[in-house]
């Protein structure tokens, strides 16, 4: 290998967080993923690039497809890859390539024609009636070899053209894998494996981590007596189909990733089409969602079977954004959200993902659809967060940073006296530094205030959200929207807390640049700090008196 240097993108463990390092510095992805077909044409992308820049992205997620890079077996065409890297550099963006290889959304629609049409060489998965599905079986050695060869060639090429520049910082291997329409593959090749003993590595992991296993996996294993040998059905009972598929999909994807890493070892991940929770009963049968995909209850199986995959990333389109993050964000699995909604909620979710979960990246899907980026609230959030990256990265994993979003799960926690009115509000109280932070969501507050001051202007496009860092025990950096922040003594009673000063400003490359000093009406004369619908960054110092 040539052209590799110390700045090569990699993941590094700090105290309580794992971070993405690029050019020797922690990098947080403020991203966006384009639609599936956009990056198949450089011309089509031309007007998209400036829009991505106006949105404040630092990284764009772009599909690279097997059908277009290897249209004939053994003949590779990288003009698109080169063009995309070149444009990204010109616009100052980093790139994550999405390898649409054997599977995209559980279907083999991105395989080249010479693969699709050769059923004999690249057999399809089958359902229980023996009908062929629109997906190549993950038990096909020929498919694995062909995909690995193509991916390896792609990674070699990326290393050759970008190994010294690090425009490409990560690669997603395949897209939302699993099998749809059947809980498992009944192709005769698959049947053979299904009747073989569960691999020892997996049994060994279950045994060694019995107490830590997610409740679903523990339950299906223990229900069969916690067996330490046996074929899949014997060990996992009615849950066997999904575990079996997860193991073999993960092994396949891992081999593809290993082939790529042998040429250029940058971080590689898989994305998940979500399924039922690992922690509480939820409806959903494998096959209705891709069976064997990296859903949260299969996380451990994937981690054991796919050591070359650095992380498993949830695509979150569900309303319960936080519960999905809770299941995926683990120290051995730093949180990257490669796909999520691109509406105004995205502008709030990003604070939560980075502050609460030490997220390494956030990326709404279909980003090229945002026609007026300057007007989109995501641009406001990204613009502020961009300069804060060094600061956020410094505090992730230290316990001195929080993130939150009102996703509907917060109740009425306290009553607030403000503007001479008393209001019961939704929000929460959290200890950070030497104080308790009382966060009140703005909606109820303003509605009540309108009874006293009809017509009080208030627009809330984005859900309340924020990210707060205690840079000292009495000094805080807060950024966010639609909430009111107050400080309370730790025990709630024994002293008063007063705001000494509040400065508004921005961070430029991690350095604080001060703007307004807020006081008087803007802080209730030192009692609170209010964050409107347009996000702002404030540095706040407080003290106590009795
Ligand atoms: C999830 C997939 O991963 C994306 O490529 C895209 O197909 C979206 N679904 C569409 O909503």
């Amino acid at each position: 290998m040539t052209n590799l240097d110390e700045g090569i993108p990699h993941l590094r463990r700090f105290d309580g967080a794992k971070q993405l390092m690029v050019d020797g510095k922690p990098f947080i992805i403020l991203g966006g993923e384009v639609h599936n077909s956009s990056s198949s044409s450089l011309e089509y992308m031309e007007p998209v690039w400036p829009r991505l820049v106006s949105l404040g992205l630092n990284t764009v997620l772009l599909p690279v497809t097997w059908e277009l890079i290897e249209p004939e077996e053994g003949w590779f065409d990288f003009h698109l890859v080169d063009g995309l890297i070149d444009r990204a550099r010109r616009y100052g963006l980093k790139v994550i390539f999405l390898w649409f290889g054997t599977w995209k959304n559980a279907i083999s629609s991105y395989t080249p024609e010479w693969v699709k049409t050769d059923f004999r060489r690249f057999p399809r998965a089958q359902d229980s009636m023996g009908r062929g599905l629109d997906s190549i079986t993950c038990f096909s050695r020929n498919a694995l070899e062909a995909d690995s060869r193509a991916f390896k060639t792609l990674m070699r090429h990326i290393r050759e053209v970008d190994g010294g520049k690090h425009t490409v910082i990560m690669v997603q291997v395949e897209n939302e894998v699993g099998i749809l329409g059947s809980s498992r593959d009944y192709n005769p090749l698959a049947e053979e494996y299904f009747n073989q003993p569960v691999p020892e590595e997996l049994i060994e992991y279950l045994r060694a981590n019995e107490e830590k296993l997610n409740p679903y996996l523990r339950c299906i294993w223990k229900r069969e007596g916690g067996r330490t040998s046996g074929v899949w059905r014997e060990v996992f009972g009615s849950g066997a189909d999904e575990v079996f598929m997860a193991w073999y999909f993960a092994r396949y994807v891992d081999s593809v990733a290993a082939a790529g890493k042998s040429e250029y070892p940058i971080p590689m991940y898989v994305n998940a089409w979500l399924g039922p929770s690992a922690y509480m009963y939820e409806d959903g049968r494998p096959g209705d969602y891709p069976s064997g995909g990296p859903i949260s209850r299969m996380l451990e199986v994937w981690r054991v079977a796919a050591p070359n995959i650095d992380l498993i990333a949830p695509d979150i389109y569900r309303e319960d954004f936080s519960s999905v993050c809770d299941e995926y964000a683990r120290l051995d699995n730093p949180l990257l959200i490669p796909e999520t909604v691109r509406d105004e909620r995205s502008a709030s979710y990003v604070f939560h993902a980075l502050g609460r979960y030490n997220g390494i990246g956030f990326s709404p899907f279909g980003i090229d659809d945002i026609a007026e980026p300057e007007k989109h609230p995501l641009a406001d959030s990204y613009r502020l967060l961009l300069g804060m990256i060094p600061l956020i990265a410094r505090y992730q994993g230290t316990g001195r940073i929080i993130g939150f979003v009102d996703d509907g799960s917060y109740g009425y926690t306290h009553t607030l006296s403000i503007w001479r009115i008393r209001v019961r509000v939704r929000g929460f109280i959290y200890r950070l530094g030497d104080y308790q932070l009382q966060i009140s969501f703005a909606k109820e507050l303003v509605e009540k205030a309108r009874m006293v001051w009809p017509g009080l202007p208030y627009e809330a496009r984005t859900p309340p959200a924020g990210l707060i860092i205690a840079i000292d025990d009495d000094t805080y950096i807060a950024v966010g929207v639609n909430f009111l922040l107050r400080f309370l003594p730790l025990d709630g009673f024994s002293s008063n807390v007063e705001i000494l000063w509040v400065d508004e400003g921005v961070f430029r490359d991690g350095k604080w640049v001060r703007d307004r000093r807020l006081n008087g009406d803007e802080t209730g004369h030192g009692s609170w700090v209010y964050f409107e619908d347009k996000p702002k960054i404030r540095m706040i110092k407080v003290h106590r008196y009795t």
Side-chain angles (χ1 to χ4, degrees):
M1 261 189 266
T2 52
N3 286 345
L4 292 188
D5 59 50
E6 288 170 5
I8 184 174
H10 63 278
L11 291 173
R12 193 172 104 183
R13 162 104 190 250
F14 290 90
D15 296 344
K18 224 177 187 183
Q19 296 186 319
L20 173 63
M21 305 291 292
V22 178
D23 293 325
K25 288 189 286 194
F27 186 87
I28 293 177
I29 297 157
L30 302 175
E33 180 171 329
V34 299
H35 280 290
N36 296 163
S37 309
S38 308
S39 57
S40 68
S41 157
L42 295 177
E43 288 69 34
Y44 183 89
M45 283 296 292
E46 247 358 282
V48 173
W49 295 104
R51 296 212 298 271
L52 303 181
V53 173
S54 302
L55 258 177
L57 268 64
N58 64 10
T59 306
V60 59
L61 283 69
L62 302 167
V64 169
T65 70
W66 190 4
E67 63 173 346
L68 289 182
I69 70 158
E70 197 184 5
E72 283 169 40
E73 187 166 8
W75 186 79
F76 288 91
D77 176 357
F78 289 120
H79 89 274
L80 273 175
V81 172
D82 292 344
L84 294 168
I85 293 178
D86 172 66
R87 297 307 185 282
R89 280 186 197 148
R90 245 192 260 170
Y91 285 95
L93 293 166
K94 298 288 185 194
V95 169
I96 295 179
F97 278 132
L98 317 174
W99 172 237
F100 289 2
T102 308
W103 302 285
K104 154 75 173 75
N105 293 28
I107 292 173
S108 298
S109 57
Y110 278 91
T111 53
E113 198 174 327
W114 56 270
V115 174
K116 265 189 208 131
T117 50
D118 195 343
F119 316 115
R120 218 179 259 283
R121 192 170 155 208
F122 305 110
R124 302 296 175 98
Q126 292 175 14
D127 66 13
S128 58
M129 312 259 293
R131 275 182 308 217
L133 300 169
D134 44 12
S135 141
I136 289 172
T137 173
C138 65
F139 297 91
S140 164
R141 194 132 278 285
N142 289 337
L144 175 59
E145 278 168 13
D147 187 335
S148 302
R149 200 170 46 240
F151 187 62
K152 183 178 159 105
T153 311
L154 169 67
M155 292 311 294
R156 182 188 313 141
H157 184 79
I158 295 175
R159 190 234 313 150
E160 282 166 1
V161 298
D162 194 51
K165 297 211 164 130
H166 315 136
T167 315
V168 182
I169 55 172
M170 280 181 110
V171 176
Q172 178 187 293
V173 190
E174 316 291 343
N175 190 87
E176 292 191 345
V177 304
I179 174 171
L180 276 176
S182 177
S183 59
R184 97 175 136 89
D185 187 355
Y186 287 84
N187 182 301
L189 288 169
E191 286 295 276
E192 213 181 297
Y193 282 98
F194 193 61
N195 293 313
Q196 284 175 10
V198 173
E200 266 172 35
E201 297 144 88
L202 180 55
I203 297 279
E204 199 32 56
Y205 180 87
L206 298 178
R207 268 214 316 223
N209 295 280
E210 204 167 310
E211 297 309 316
K212 288 191 282 173
L213 293 178
N214 76 65
Y216 172 80
L217 190 59
R218 191 169 51 230
C219 170
I220 58 171
W221 179 45
K222 289 292 178 186
R223 211 167 46 194
E224 302 307 312
R227 293 182 62 139
T228 52
S229 64
V231 298
W232 293 89
R233 184 70 73 213
E234 289 168 340
V235 177
F236 298 109
S238 60
D241 287 8
E242 187 175 22
V243 185
F244 168 71
M245 292 312 299
W247 180 264
Y248 284 104
F249 268 115
R251 298 297 301 150
Y252 187 109
V253 173
D254 189 66
S255 298
V256 175
K261 281 191 170 180
S262 72
E263 289 292 343
Y264 190 35
I266 59 175
M268 296 191 184
Y269 72 93
V270 292
N271 63 332
W273 172 327
L274 300 178
S277 164
Y279 295 86
M280 65 179 69
Y281 180 79
E282 274 178 5
D283 264 343
R285 283 202 322 239
D288 292 343
Y289 60 86
S291 177
I295 70 166
S296 73
R297 62 194 199 181
M298 292 297 117
L299 265 190
E300 285 104 322
V301 178
W302 268 82
R303 296 314 262 145
V304 182
N308 286 290
I309 292 298
D310 297 278
L311 60 98
I312 295 171
D315 292 342
I316 315 182
Y317 294 94
R318 287 163 41 160
E319 297 251 305
D320 55 341
F321 184 86
S322 305
S323 22
V324 177
C325 297
D326 280 331
E327 296 199 4
Y328 277 87
R330 309 172 359 164
L331 194 46
D332 66 348
N333 196 54
L335 184 67
L336 166 67
I337 301 167
E339 293 183 38
T340 186
V341 294
R342 64 176 167 276
D343 61 24
E344 57 289 343
R345 284 172 293 169
S346 61
S348 298
Y349 286 159
V350 63
F351 295 120
H352 189 45
L354 306 189
R356 164 77 178 84
Y357 298 101
N358 302 320
I360 66 164
F362 180 84
S363 157
F365 177 78
I367 203 78
D368 38 338
D369 267 359
I370 300 180
E372 295 186 298
E374 302 80 10
K375 295 189 184 156
H376 196 288
L378 181 65
D380 296 325
S381 300
Y382 272 7
R383 251 194 299 276
L384 294 185
L385 286 168
L386 189 65
M388 289 180 76
I389 287 177
L391 185 81
I392 296 173
R394 189 168 345 127
Y395 284 95
Q396 281 184 334
T398 62
R400 300 183 73 87
I401 177 169
I402 58 162
F404 59 91
V405 66
D406 178 13
D407 60 355
S409 61
Y410 292 90
Y412 288 86
T413 44
H414 51 272
T415 302
L416 204 65
S417 291
I418 179 177
W419 299 315
R420 283 173 281 120
I421 51 172
R422 279 174 69 74
V423 200
R424 258 191 105 216
V425 286
R426 291 186 316 113
F428 66 99
I429 293 175
Y430 189 89
R431 180 186 171 160
L432 196 66
D434 269 354
Y435 295 84
Q436 294 194 83
L437 273 47
Q438 185 190 60
I439 314 278
S440 309
F441 300 150
K443 192 163 167 279
E444 286 87 3
L445 207 62
V446 176
E447 275 165 8
K448 188 75 182 260
R450 280 209 182 113
M451 293 177 172
V452 187
W453 296 292
L456 182 76
Y458 175 66
E459 190 200 5
R461 289 192 301 168
T462 47
L467 180 155
I468 304 177
I469 301 173
I471 55 169
D472 216 328
D473 287 338
D474 59 0
T475 310
Y476 301 82
I477 306 282
V479 55
V481 284
N482 290 314
F483 71 96
L484 186 120
L485 171 63
R486 283 181 69 217
F487 295 86
L488 309 175
L490 283 183
D491 68 0
F493 283 99
S494 52
S495 57
N496 295 300
V497 180
E498 186 176 59
I499 292 175
L500 280 173
W501 47 258
V502 184
D503 284 340
E504 198 165 76
V506 289
F507 281 90
R508 297 227 171 89
D509 207 14
K511 301 250 168 339
W512 177 239
V513 182
R514 202 187 104 176
D515 188 13
R516 282 195 301 172
R517 161 79 39 120
L518 302 185
N519 204 338
D521 293 346
E522 280 67 56
T523 65
H525 296 86
S527 330
W528 40 255
V529 188
Y530 180 55
F531 290 82
E532 307 87 350
D533 192 44
K534 198 157 172 82
K536 292 276 165 39
I537 310 178
R538 272 85 183 247
M539 189 185 286
I540 307 148
K541 184 162 184 179
V542 295
H543 77 146
R544 272 184 289 256
Y545 67 92
T546 46

